[in-house]
């Protein structure tokens, strides 16, 4: 199966940490929500790194979570060990989940974005519980 080969390459290439780090990415819309809530301007570097379209970020993070779910299915022991020893989950996932707990969700009025965001949050919590 081609999927298995891709997942094995992701794992053997050491991309688990990189995938987890993508969860802490922000969109410009998210940075605007943070600025509106806190009154603090985001750092220039954060704006430069931010995704231009929030919908693209939401879709990408949802796909990353599906990859992480499948990687856990294939490598449960090794993934859990790396997640704990290298703190991939705690640092990146807490930042990912904290945003949605504390700030207004960008484009929430768009049904597709709201559904994708809610599904991604649930999947992130389920993966965290599995690990």
């Amino acid at each position: 199966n081609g999927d298995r080969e891709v997942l094995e390459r992701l794992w053997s290439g050491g991309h688990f940490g990189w995938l987890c780090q993508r969860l802490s990415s922000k969109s410009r819309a998210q940075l605007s929500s943070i600025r509106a809530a806190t009154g603090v301007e985001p750092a220039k570097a954060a704006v430069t790194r931010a995704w231009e379209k929030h919908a693209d970020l939401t879709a990408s993070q949802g796909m990353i979570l599906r990859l992480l779910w499948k990687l856990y299915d294939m490598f449960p022991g090794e993934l859990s060990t790396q997640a704990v020893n290298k703190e991939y989950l705690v640092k990146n996932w807490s930042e990912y989940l904290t945003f949605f707990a504390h700030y207004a969700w960008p484009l929430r009025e768009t049904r597709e974005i709201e559904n994708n965001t809610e599904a991604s949050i649930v999947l992130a919590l389920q993966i965290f519980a599995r690990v």
Side-chain angles (χ1 to χ4, degrees):
N1 187 347
D3 292 348
R4 185 166 183 81
E5 288 177 23
V6 170
L7 290 167
E8 286 175 353
R9 288 186 72 171
L10 277 172
W11 183 256
S12 65
H15 299 293
F16 173 57
W18 183 86
L19 288 169
C20 289
Q21 289 171 353
R22 303 293 66 85
L23 291 176
S24 62
S25 296
K26 299 278 186 289
S27 68
R28 291 187 178 157
Q30 285 177 302
L31 295 177
S32 292
S33 291
I34 294 169
R35 183 180 56 240
T38 64
V40 176
E41 288 292 323
K44 195 167 198 90
V47 174
T48 302
R49 285 190 314 267
W51 286 60
E52 191 169 317
K53 294 184 179 180
H54 184 69
D56 293 343
L57 174 62
T58 301
S60 295
Q61 288 175 329
M63 288 185 268
I64 287 167
L65 288 164
R66 292 290 298 152
L67 287 171
L68 293 172
W69 184 274
K70 292 292 191 181
L71 285 172
Y72 181 82
D73 286 346
M74 292 175 65
F75 308 101
E78 300 99 314
L79 189 141
S80 295
T81 299
Q82 279 194 27
V84 172
N85 291 345
K86 297 184 180 182
E87 300 180 2
Y88 289 143
L89 294 185
V90 173
K91 180 178 184 252
N92 298 297
W93 292 35
S94 64
E95 188 173 335
Y96 172 73
L97 294 170
T98 297
F99 174 83
F100 294 106
H102 293 286
Y103 302 105
W105 299 5
L107 305 174
R108 188 170 188 175
E109 64 279 358
T110 307
R111 187 94 172 129
E112 182 181 5
I113 297 296
E114 182 179 17
N115 289 344
N116 287 345
T117 301
E118 286 177 355
S120 293
I121 291 169
V122 168
L123 185 55
L125 292 170
Q126 288 176 337
I127 292 169
F128 197 80
R130 288 178 81 191
V131 173

